[in-house]
Amino acid sequence: MDPSKIREKIVRFRILIIGRANAGKTTILQGVCNTRENPVICNSAGKRVRITMLRGLHDIENEMVFQNNPGFVFHDSRGFEAGGESEFNMVKAFIADRSKELDIRKRLHVIWYCIPMDESARSFTQGEVKFFSQCDTGNIPVMVLFTKFDALYDVAFAQLRKEGRSWKDAKGLAPKRAEESFANGPQLKFLKNVQWPPKCHVCLPNMNLDDADCGPLMERTARTLDDKALTQLFVSTQQTNLALCMEYAVGRALTKLVDSAETASDEGHEEAIGKLGTWFP
């Protein structure tokens, strides 16, 4: 598919976000779309679902769209903390169906699996183990999002204080200590040895803050996508990281145009500008 025509063909970038209760999924999606508003939710028939109807109910087929950035479509799964076979089979079937969907506008493009780091055990639940052991997502890449990662800063801070560091020094060193400890911890070791490992992971601290940084998530997602057309759709849809747009516009488009004879004329200049513009919102 011609990357320059992808918006006309696919229109929106589709993401499945999975995670146990209180994993911070809504906060992440709001951060990605740069809003604190609730999403508009529609069922598979395109009919709007009232928020009050969702209490106690859950349908992975529902589409969530934030009006601040309608280029993203999200599907939400509550995870499998109860170990329910029916929930797992439903998610597995949804992924399989969307990976083979004939209508490219409905295909799933990436899966974000959220694992919160503020749980006391900080270990994988039975359902999460089952997902990475039994769920083949085919050509749909899976990313693990370690949410609420700042909870590990508190653990590291306490360790540094016990080692005799001052309050100020411990506060400043805690993030680096937490990242170093996590890199050698059980979570990443587990993911390396499962049947269906994720393509990558990203650590997300302080996503509840107004100035939360979604940059690492945007960058890792873009690099996870193998298809150039989908990469362009994602980069040009996200609106929180202009530097990412510039990076891909320069790296994927400008370098090919600089020495091209086609850019010598006025028409060539206009075409070059158009190609660069496809990487921006």
Side-chain angles (χ1 to χ4, degrees):
M1 182 184 297
D2 182 354
S4 65
K5 304 295 184 181
I6 190 170
R7 279 191 178 273
E8 301 174 13
K9 298 290 186 180
I10 302 180
V11 183
R12 301 186 297 179
F13 193 89
R14 193 174 296 270
I15 299 171
L16 169 62
I17 186 165
I18 306 175
R20 66 185 85 157
N22 300 314
K25 293 182 293 180
T26 301
T27 301
I28 289 172
L29 300 186
Q30 289 174 328
V32 166
C33 294
N34 196 27
T35 184
R36 289 303 178 190
E37 300 296 325
N38 288 321
V40 173
I41 303 176
C42 296
N43 60 24
S44 57
K47 185 177 180 180
R48 186 164 179 170
V49 179
R50 294 175 59 189
I51 297 296
T52 53
M53 293 171 58
L54 297 178
R55 294 175 182 173
L57 300 175
H58 202 88
D59 189 344
I60 196 172
E61 295 286 348
N62 285 341
E63 298 183 349
M64 300 191 302
V65 176
F66 291 88
Q67 293 181 330
N68 207 43
N69 190 344
F72 281 123
V73 179
F74 302 103
H75 294 270
D76 178 21
S77 170
R78 60 189 172 191
F80 327 108
E81 55 259 67
E85 189 71 20
S86 61
E87 180 77 15
F88 175 78
N89 289 336
M90 179 182 66
V91 172
K92 189 175 181 180
F94 176 81
I95 293 171
D97 291 344
R98 291 301 179 116
S99 67
K100 297 177 291 187
E101 174 63 59
L102 295 178
D103 186 345
I104 61 175
R105 296 171 300 174
K106 296 182 179 180
R107 287 179 193 166
L108 196 59
H109 301 133
V110 71
I111 299 170
W112 290 344
Y113 204 121
C114 300
I115 308 290
M117 289 290 98
D118 64 339
E119 302 290 340
S120 57
R122 299 186 177 90
S123 58
F124 289 88
T125 65
Q126 180 182 353
E128 290 158 356
V129 172
K130 188 173 185 177
F131 178 87
F132 292 106
S133 300
Q134 300 182 25
C135 191
D136 178 8
T137 63
N139 61 353
I140 304 173
V142 178
M143 297 173 55
V144 170
L145 281 52
F146 289 105
T147 61
K148 304 183 179 182
F149 194 78
D150 48 294
L152 297 186
Y153 295 174
D154 297 333
V155 176
F157 174 82
Q159 293 173 344
L160 289 164
R161 289 289 285 158
K162 285 183 179 180
E163 295 170 8
R165 298 280 187 171
S166 68
W167 189 95
K168 181 179 179 180
D169 287 346
K171 195 71 174 177
L173 293 171
K176 183 178 180 181
R177 169 69 68 87
E179 292 165 4
E180 291 173 346
S181 298
F182 181 77
N184 298 308
Q187 292 87 0
L188 297 186
K189 290 180 181 178
F190 165 78
L191 290 176
K192 289 179 181 178
N193 296 304
V194 293
Q195 179 69 26
W196 304 106
K199 290 199 69 173
C200 69
H201 73 276
V202 61
C203 301
L204 300 176
N206 301 313
M207 291 301 293
N208 59 310
L209 302 181
D210 290 338
D211 60 348
D213 183 12
C214 292
L217 176 56
M218 299 294 95
E219 293 165 10
R220 293 307 298 270
T221 301
R223 285 160 178 67
T224 295
L225 299 169
D226 295 326
D227 185 273
K228 180 181 178 181
L230 286 180
T231 302
Q232 186 177 86
L233 177 62
F234 176 79
V235 171
S236 62
T237 297
Q238 64 85 32
Q239 300 175 5
T240 60
N241 192 340
L242 183 59
L244 187 66
C245 300
M246 296 176 65
E247 175 188 339
Y248 275 85
V250 172
R252 299 289 183 91
L254 185 60
T255 53
K256 295 181 180 180
L257 294 169
V258 169
D259 298 323
S260 174
E262 296 178 359
T263 62
S265 64
D266 291 340
E267 293 81 3
H269 289 156
E270 291 180 4
E271 181 180 355
I273 292 173
K275 289 182 178 180
L276 290 172
T278 60
W279 290 96
F280 291 83

